[in-house]
Amino acid sequence: MSTENKNWEYADAVEGTGHIKLKEKYGLYINGEWVAPRSKTYFSSTNPHDEAHLAEVAQANKQDVDAAVIAAERAYHDVWSKITPAERGKYIFRIARLMQEQAKELAVIESLDSGKPIREARDIDIPLACNHLFYYAGWADKLDYAFPNQKKEPLGVAGQIIPWNFPLLMAAWKIAPALATGNTVVLKPAETTSLTALKLAEIIDEAGLPPGVVNIVTGFGDTGAAIVAHPKVSKVAFTGSTAVGKLIQKTIAGTDKKATLELGGKSANIIFDDAPLDQAVEGIINGIFFNQGHVCCAGSRLFVQENIADKVIRKLKHRMQSLQIGNPLDKNTDIGAINSSEQLKTINKYIDIGRKEGSECFQVDCALPNKGYYCKPTLFINVAQSSVLAQEEIFGPVLTIQTFRTIDEVIQKANNSPYGLAAGVWTDKGSKIFNLTSKLKAGVVWANTYNKFDPASPFGGYKESGFGREGGLHGLGAYLK
Ligand code: NAP
Ligand code: MG
């Protein structure tokens, strides 16, 4: 069995960019208009593949955030809380359909701005984002059925802050349930991936949503902090790191703001000796290398039953050698660019720590592009439970492997983490699956699959992975009192 990467060489199949329309400079989308930031400052959004400049993006300061929140509050009182729920639903359907029409452009921009493979943006991010809007559009006029015998009311202005790993998808996860339940929105995308949120603002404009119902303000952490601290924001919906989640909790302590926090993870992917191994290997690959490991619920801790460990590791290394790494816009690419130079530094820091800790390190033998932010898919084998690598979130394509003998041992090891976002279980036995799903402290447990999402199923964490659920009925409840 050869592990030479060249056995899997493909001809280039780079997606065109002729059809995308990006402005040179984006203002803030406040009260249905594009306005220049009061800060008078713009920053550059770049392509992590080649460090090329894509567009100038406005940096919102406290005054800009204040204008956006005031517009959202006015829209809530004057329009959005007065129209019928069915009308609200129609607007959300319209946004979803326009997104579908522009799916190809959105996918290319997402790939350019974030570094994720075009195939993922095209087949996962954008369709799932549309599905979330369709799903919640359908609930808008059925809230009495969702919550029978309860008189539910919207909260008011929702301040929503999202990360860079699934930019448009996270925007849809946040905006769809907020609008369906009658709230208005001020949303801030991450500084490195603002462009699809700004395209979404154009779509929202085209859909004729009343001014101020959705406002999109771009900027850095202080822009997010200003949203959280604003007295007229009644609900904070945050997806991002546990560290920032803790800061947010401090800010809102003692106020009557509601919050949902979707934070970090260090999820266990557990392979039993009766599992279909080739399928499991695909699941391991998908669990950790999907989106360069920039996935909060990435299956970053692999637990393999001891008697099959050698076989699984051999199959895994072989499969890793076939991964195509490089230009995210190439339709053959499996692993694109790391989102930013800072994130690449963080990942490399952890790889150094792993080497120093003495675990066996395996990296795919391939050449990386000589520009841009790239990282080889990496395995650490025989990692100790106490190792930094097994405990801390890396948020990159780095997998730790540990072995176990019994179910009780693996439950104890899998739960020995400050996080509890997701887990995967691979076995032939339904009884084992049910035994584990009830004992693993994780918000989502996948059985014989990994990283599967559906708008109808709730998502969220235990422990330091946050609280509150997004998706499904739970996701509606988080925007109602
Ligand atoms: P991050 O640094 O926490 O940033 C997330 C968002 O918060 C960004 O828009 C960021 O703006 C903003 N922000 C930064 N400081 C803030 C503050 N003091 N107050 C309010 N907002 C602030 O996280 P990240 O590095 O972008 O994303 C990676 C993390 O997100 C990982 O830990 C990952 O596990 C987690 N994540 C969790 C989920 C989930 O559903 N549980 C999903 C995706 C990601 P800037 O971009 O300008 O800094
Ligand atoms: Mg970018």
Side-chain angles (χ1 to χ4, degrees):
M1 183 162 57
S2 162
T3 52
E4 293 273 312
N5 187 269
K6 58 178 175 289
N7 287 354
W8 285 277
E9 248 170 40
Y10 296 95
D12 288 350
V14 179
E15 181 64 67
T17 54
H19 62 294
I20 70 163
K21 288 184 211 86
L22 280 177
K23 292 188 213 166
E24 267 171 41
K25 202 181 218 182
Y26 283 91
L28 305 168
Y29 186 67
I30 297 177
N31 205 27
E33 284 175 17
W34 290 99
V35 298
R38 286 156 178 79
S39 71
K40 297 193 173 64
T41 319
Y42 292 81
F43 60 95
S44 168
S45 203
T46 56
N47 180 347
H49 164 60
D50 56 8
E51 299 163 55
H53 167 82
L54 294 169
E56 293 280 314
V57 177
Q59 188 178 342
N61 66 13
K62 229 172 156 180
Q63 286 73 40
D64 294 305
V65 167
D66 188 50
V69 175
I70 286 173
E73 200 205 15
R74 203 181 308 122
Y76 175 72
H77 286 296
D78 296 352
V79 191
W80 205 238
S81 58
K82 295 204 170 126
I83 66 168
T84 63
E87 279 303 308
R88 290 201 307 260
K90 281 190 213 165
Y91 281 112
I92 308 170
F93 275 124
R94 206 175 295 158
I95 295 167
R97 281 195 302 267
L98 286 169
M99 271 170 64
Q100 275 186 329
E101 279 170 23
Q102 297 172 35
K104 190 166 179 195
E105 183 185 8
L106 291 169
V108 171
I109 295 174
E110 197 75 302
S111 175
L112 284 171
D113 199 23
S114 72
K116 70 171 60 210
I118 182 68
R119 219 178 48 221
E120 267 169 33
R122 184 194 63 195
D123 298 346
I124 296 166
D125 292 62
I126 313 299
L128 260 182
C130 296
N131 286 351
H132 261 267
L133 286 151
F134 279 124
Y135 174 79
Y136 280 114
W139 274 121
D141 61 351
K142 301 174 195 70
L143 297 179
D144 290 342
Y145 298 94
F147 305 101
N149 303 318
Q150 298 176 48
K151 183 95 190 70
K152 290 280 191 186
E153 278 176 27
L155 301 167
V157 178
Q160 308 184 321
I161 299 161
I162 56 174
W164 42 260
N165 56 345
F166 293 93
L168 188 66
L169 181 58
M170 287 299 115
W173 275 32
K174 296 277 181 283
I175 290 175
L179 295 187
T181 47
N183 298 275
T184 57
V185 165
V186 175
L187 174 107
K188 187 197 97 68
E191 72 193 58
T192 55
T193 54
S194 304
L195 298 183
T196 47
L198 294 165
K199 292 302 281 188
L200 177 61
E202 291 178 355
I203 286 171
I204 284 169
D205 209 57
E206 202 182 331
L209 196 73
V213 173
V214 172
N215 306 274
I216 297 192
V217 292
T218 43
F220 297 80
D222 53 346
T223 311
I227 294 175
V228 173
H230 199 290
K232 298 233 157 94
V233 167
S234 328
K235 149 93 187 182
V236 176
F238 172 78
T239 298
S241 60
T242 297
V244 173
K246 286 180 181 173
L247 285 178
I248 289 176
Q249 272 185 299
K250 273 191 199 145
T251 307
I252 64 174
T255 73
D256 63 355
K257 289 182 207 267
K258 264 200 160 195
T260 40
L261 303 178
E262 303 277 4
L263 310 176
K266 191 79 186 171
S267 300
N269 204 357
I270 302 168
I271 321 288
F272 286 96
D273 60 4
D274 59 356
L277 290 193
D278 290 322
Q279 240 168 286
V281 167
E282 283 309 306
I284 299 166
I285 295 273
N286 175 35
I288 183 65
F289 300 131
F290 171 46
N291 199 22
Q292 296 71 249
H294 298 336
V295 185
C296 49
C297 50
S300 53
R301 287 185 298 149
L302 178 66
F303 293 96
V304 190
Q305 203 154 19
E306 196 180 73
N307 54 332
I308 53 160
D310 289 345
K311 193 169 174 187
V312 169
I313 291 167
R314 194 174 64 243
K315 279 177 181 281
L316 188 57
K317 285 179 177 173
H318 180 66
R319 178 65 179 93
M320 281 168 73
Q321 269 314 133
S322 73
L323 292 169
Q324 303 287 314
I325 303 155
N327 187 355
L329 272 191
D330 192 315
K331 282 167 260 182
N332 294 318
T333 294
D334 298 307
I335 309 228
I338 301 300
N339 180 258
S340 64
S341 62
E342 287 84 69
Q343 188 59 24
L344 180 59
K345 263 185 229 146
T346 304
I347 297 167
N348 285 333
K349 180 194 83 184
Y350 278 109
I351 292 176
D352 285 346
I353 291 175
R355 288 206 164 102
K356 284 190 192 122
E357 281 182 337
S359 330
E360 180 192 337
C361 176
F362 170 81
Q363 284 191 313
V364 172
D365 173 24
C366 67
L368 295 181
N370 40 26
K371 236 186 167 182
Y373 318 132
Y374 282 91
C375 178
K376 289 185 183 181
T378 305
L379 291 184
F380 280 98
I381 301 162
N382 292 326
V383 174
Q385 182 72 14
S386 59
S387 127
V388 171
L389 244 55
Q391 289 294 326
E392 294 184 13
E393 183 184 46
I394 302 173
F395 222 59
V398 181
L399 178 68
T400 63
I401 305 183
Q402 294 169 261
T403 58
F404 66 94
R405 287 182 187 172
T406 65
I407 292 200
D408 289 341
E409 180 189 352
V410 77
I411 292 171
Q412 192 272 329
K413 281 181 166 168
N415 286 340
N416 180 4
S417 164
Y419 296 108
L421 197 50
V425 181
W426 298 80
T427 168
D428 197 29
K429 300 267 179 312
S431 57
K432 244 186 241 170
I433 293 170
F434 286 115
N435 185 7
L436 278 159
T437 47
S438 57
K439 289 179 184 150
L440 289 172
K441 296 277 173 269
V444 179
V445 182
W446 285 291
N448 294 325
T449 186
Y450 206 91
N451 274 338
K452 284 277 181 293
F453 298 93
D454 188 280
S457 63
F459 183 86
Y462 268 75
K463 300 189 274 187
E464 295 212 356
S465 292
F467 52 78
R469 294 290 178 265
E470 292 186 310
L473 279 179
H474 296 69
L476 283 173
Y479 284 92
L480 291 164
K481 61 185 167 205

